[in-house]
Amino acid sequence: MKVLFASEKSVHLSNYCKAIRSYIDEIVLITELQFDLEEVNKSYVINFRNVNPFLIFKRINELRKIIFEEKPDVIHLHQINRLAFYVSLANYKTGIPIITTAWGSDVLLVPNRNFIFKMFTTYVLKRSKIVTADAYIMIDAMMKLVNQKEKYVHLQYGIDNVKPAEKQNIIYSNRLHRPLYNIEKIVKDFYKFSKTHNDWMLHIAGSDVETDTLKKLVNQYGINSKVKFLGWLGKEDNNHQYAISKIYVSIPSSDGTSVSLLEAMSADCIPVVSDLPVSHEWIKDGVNGVIRKADKNPFEEALKLNVEECFKINRDKINTGVSRTFTTKKFYELYQDLLTN
């Protein structure tokens, strides 16, 4: 079986390719930025970012040529974005089935920005035979755009469990430094928390457009000695941070089920999450984690939890249908369904 993936450059794609490679014969990858993965047999870079409108049709023809020459059995779109739309367009009338995996904001936020984004998302959903999502709130949002219940499948991307190590007084954040992820709120919460908890550290992994602004904020608060900016971490270093941290924090304005949250839960971190519908699918406030509220410091609330109860609940949740072995097999079965139905 040959599968063509279209995706943005991400650690989620890298982990998925590693997991699914043993099930399929060949992987072809299309991205907008160069992304070299050992598991990929052939990769193409087709960039639609800031492209002259007159060149868009040329790029679509390039996609059409790739699909025609590679002749994949299945196309798997990872995230419903600009590239997914153009690949769906290029695949028109080929008969090659498309499976799409929604990531979160691509269906919860982006379609609401304007008519064009809504049209792009709706088109991808209509052209997809199967659409997977890791949260029911995402399926509800997609149903409002394309009411075809039979094509939506609730399925996690899957995680590799992280073994806890000796815990330290560390709060760990590893989401991108973009407005969506509210890292500045994490810094502000930690600043207030650190006034009465002088022996705690905040470790911030990742990077993006707000990194410099966040560093300036840390300097402004005078907590440089208590905050470490770790930059972009590979899987091993990221897992080490989960393993040694007592608290994991992720408070985006919108999200699907976060792989990072699940990894942190598997590593016996106390989760601090934003008050989103998807958060309530995983976290009961004050029991197995903390739902952040504006009038309370979430890190203070995290220290009030019964950690043994918290960890037991979270381990049970992770071990029931979230392990990568289980979910990868399910994705492969979906590929097979597309070829037989």
Side-chain angles (χ1 to χ4, degrees):
M1 180 188 295
K2 178 191 283 191
V3 182
L4 186 152
F5 294 154
S7 175
E8 72 171 24
K9 182 178 180 180
S10 78
V11 67
H12 300 316
L13 175 67
S14 175
N15 290 336
Y16 182 80
C17 286
K18 287 183 175 69
I20 200 69
R21 189 64 181 86
S22 62
Y23 286 89
I24 58 181
D25 301 309
E26 193 171 346
I27 296 176
V28 178
L29 175 63
I30 299 175
T31 54
E32 291 193 89
L33 297 173
Q34 187 67 40
F35 193 29
D36 297 321
L37 295 174
E38 182 181 342
E39 296 77 20
V40 172
N41 298 86
K42 193 179 294 185
S43 61
Y44 300 88
V45 178
I46 308 292
N47 195 345
F48 287 93
R49 299 185 180 195
N50 303 316
V51 172
N52 184 313
F54 295 104
L55 292 177
I56 289 179
F57 292 104
K58 180 182 178 182
R59 299 287 167 84
I60 293 173
N61 284 330
E62 290 176 12
L63 289 174
R64 188 174 289 117
K65 182 180 179 183
I66 291 169
I67 294 170
F68 177 78
E69 292 181 349
E70 293 293 344
K71 295 182 176 58
D73 298 295
V74 174
I75 294 174
H76 191 165
L77 306 177
H78 293 257
Q79 191 177 35
I80 303 175
N81 54 13
R82 174 184 52 227
L83 180 61
F85 170 73
Y86 289 123
V87 171
S88 300
L89 203 61
N91 189 57
Y92 185 63
K93 290 188 176 181
T94 67
I96 299 171
I98 293 176
I99 176 173
T100 295
T101 295
W103 281 14
S105 61
D106 53 350
V107 294
L108 296 174
L109 288 182
V110 173
N112 299 322
R113 289 178 181 171
N114 59 47
F115 171 76
I116 299 298
F117 286 130
K118 183 176 182 180
M119 181 193 71
F120 279 17
T121 306
T122 301
Y123 183 82
V124 173
L125 293 176
K126 286 182 176 179
R127 293 286 299 122
S128 302
K129 295 286 188 182
I130 297 173
V131 183
T132 72
D134 56 23
Y136 290 108
I137 187 67
M138 294 162 62
I139 293 177
D140 292 341
M142 292 187 290
M143 282 284 290
K144 292 176 182 177
L145 295 174
V146 178
N147 189 5
Q148 297 176 352
K149 187 176 181 179
E150 68 280 358
K151 72 168 54 182
Y152 300 113
V153 177
H154 182 257
L155 179 61
Q156 302 297 322
Y157 239 149
I159 68 161
D160 299 312
N161 285 19
V162 179
K163 185 178 180 181
E166 183 178 351
K167 292 293 184 178
Q168 302 174 31
N169 290 343
I170 294 172
I171 299 166
Y172 184 44
S173 163
N174 65 350
R175 306 305 295 269
L176 292 174
H177 303 176
R178 297 178 182 174
L180 173 68
Y181 294 105
N182 297 312
I183 309 299
E184 78 287 348
K185 291 182 179 179
I186 294 173
V187 173
K188 291 176 183 178
D189 285 342
F190 177 74
Y191 167 63
K192 295 174 183 177
F193 177 76
S194 66
K195 290 180 179 181
T196 53
H197 298 82
N198 190 52
D199 57 339
W200 280 72
M201 296 283 296
L202 172 63
H203 288 187
I204 302 176
S207 62
D208 215 310
V209 294
E210 291 191 325
T211 301
D212 289 341
T213 301
L214 293 169
K215 289 180 178 179
K216 289 177 182 177
L217 183 61
V218 167
N219 185 61
Q220 176 186 327
Y221 285 147
I223 52 175
N224 304 69
S225 63
K226 301 180 186 302
V227 180
K228 286 186 179 181
F229 286 90
L230 306 175
W232 188 264
L233 299 183
K235 184 174 182 178
E236 184 175 340
D237 290 332
N238 186 45
N239 286 351
H240 175 69
Q241 290 297 318
Y242 291 135
I244 64 173
S245 299
K246 288 184 179 178
I247 297 174
Y248 173 77
V249 56
S250 172
I251 53 171
S253 300
S254 176
D255 210 1
T257 297
S258 165
V259 169
S260 299
L261 170 63
L262 301 182
E263 290 172 337
M265 290 167 68
S266 78
D268 285 350
C269 298
I270 299 172
V272 171
V273 296
S274 39
D275 192 0
L276 299 173
V278 69
S279 298
H280 293 274
E281 292 183 20
W282 293 98
I283 302 299
K284 183 176 181 180
D285 187 33
V287 178
N288 68 317
V290 173
I291 305 289
R292 183 183 183 273
K293 303 175 188 67
D295 60 339
K296 295 182 180 180
N297 189 291
F299 306 134
E300 295 280 6
E301 296 302 303
L303 297 186
K304 298 177 182 178
L305 266 61
N306 180 327
V307 292
E308 293 303 322
E309 181 184 12
C310 172
F311 298 159
K312 181 182 185 305
I313 292 171
N314 289 342
R315 289 186 203 120
D316 289 344
K317 285 178 175 287
I318 295 302
N319 292 331
T320 308
V322 179
S323 69
R324 197 177 302 280
T325 301
F326 173 85
T327 61
T328 303
K329 185 171 182 288
K330 289 295 182 182
F331 271 108
Y332 176 64
E333 290 171 356
L334 292 179
Y335 293 166
Q336 291 181 310
D337 289 345
L338 288 173
L339 298 180
T340 56
N341 294 331

